[in-house]
Amino acid sequence: MFNFLFNNKGDKVMARAKLSKTEKVRNLFSTGKNVTWKSLRSTFDLRSPAAMVGKLRNEGMMIYENRGSKGVSYRVGTPSKAIIAAGITAVFGKQVGYSA
């Protein structure tokens, strides 16, 4: 009846899988709220929050950095058309118009 509590060997499985720091930060950014440098440093015990942000950017997240009098904050957004065009130009070179 309660087979979902047991694995193939009959041992109980009651715990959730532990999330890595990267997954936790990715989940925080997915909420859409601004995240401060200090909160990343203290909440997730990161030595370098900027390195974590760089890692997530390399994975494809579009993270914007806002610098203000209160410090640095980050947020996730959608890339503008100019950024997409610059990326396409960097990868494929100068684009040529197509005519039928």
Side-chain angles (χ1 to χ4, degrees), residues 25-35 61 74-77:
V25 173
R26 188 181 300 118
N27 291 340
L28 177 64
F29 275 120
S30 68
T31 63
K33 298 178 183 176
N34 285 347
V35 180
M61 290 186 78
Y74 302 99
R75 68 176 177 83
V76 174

Side-chain angles (χ1 to χ4, degrees), residues 28-37 40 53 57 61-67 72-79:
L28 177 64
F29 275 120
S30 68
T31 63
K33 298 178 183 176
N34 285 347
V35 180
T36 64
W37 185 91
L40 287 175
V53 169
R57 283 177 176 157
M61 290 186 78
M62 192 67 197
I63 300 175
Y64 293 97
E65 181 179 297
N66 298 318
R67 293 180 180 261
V72 177
S73 65
Y74 302 99
R75 68 176 177 83
V76 174
T78 57

Side-chain angles (χ1 to χ4, degrees), residues 83-98:
I83 290 177
I84 292 173
I88 290 172
T89 302
V91 172
F92 298 111
K94 186 169 175 128
Q95 297 296 311
V96 183
Y98 174 77

